[in-house]
Amino acid sequence: MSFFQNTCKPKGLGGSLMVNMMNIGHSPMAEWGLKHIKINKNDISLDVGCGGGANIKKLLEKSPKGKVFGIDYSEVSVRKSKKVNKFAVERKHCEILQGNVQELPFANETFDLATAFETIYFWSDIDQSFSQIYRVLKKGGIFMVCNESNGENDKDKKWTEIIKGMKIYTSKEIKYSLEKAGFTHIETNKNAKGWLCVVARK
């Protein structure tokens, strides 16, 4: 397996190195994305495809009276996320699980907010995944997708050739799948770097 394949599902030593790199490298994009949503102090949030846990930590800081859940299908990612957020996990302010977005292990209408940073590229069925996120969000809940790639330039195609199973979606494709799942009030934001942030409401 190539080193970059670890962006899809981190495994072993290479995966451990990758989640460390992603925690640092994706931070500016995540900060930019979070500016497009309002997070309340007592929100219950879910970070889907939580990777190395850096964005869970950001959500915890913004909801000190709430709770943040993370889920990822990579054992390496879950382990790193728990380590990064060790204090919050011990205080029961945070819970991190290993699982698949297509079968989220949560009850209907559990969360005020769901986020997906740099992860929908690797979801094998985006429609099913969005439907699951819609199911576990409360009425009026917010779902934010934030990606460094928007599918509108040649360098994006290069990454899909390097990383097996990766698909980069355009804002129109994401909007279409969100609408199919039932989401409304869909807002799309882009910047000069090609970053994409899509926010939708249940």
Side-chain angles (χ1 to χ4, degrees), residues 15-42:
S16 296
L17 291 171
M18 180 60 74
V19 293
N20 288 336
M21 290 171 60
M22 290 191 294
N23 274 355
I24 298 168
H26 294 161
S27 185
M29 177 211 63
E31 291 286 357
W32 172 77
L34 288 169
K35 291 178 181 177
H36 296 97
I37 58 175
K38 179 183 178 182
I39 302 175
N40 299 308
K41 290 183 179 181
N42 61 345

Side-chain angles (χ1 to χ4, degrees), residues 115-132:
T115 57
F117 296 92
E118 284 287 279
T119 183
I120 69 167
Y121 313 126
F122 311 115
W123 297 357
S124 59
D125 188 332
I126 195 172
D127 291 342
Q128 171 67 11
S129 300
F130 282 0
S131 292
Q132 279 287 295

Side-chain angles (χ1 to χ4, degrees), residues 10 24 27 42-43 61 68 73 87 89 99 101 112 119 122 134 140 169 175 192-193:
I24 298 168
S27 185
N42 61 345
D43 277 351
E61 291 170 354
V68 179
Y73 69 168
F87 182 61
V89 170
V101 63
D112 300 289
T119 183
F122 311 115
Y134 184 89
Y169 296 90
K175 184 174 185 289
K193 296 180 180 179

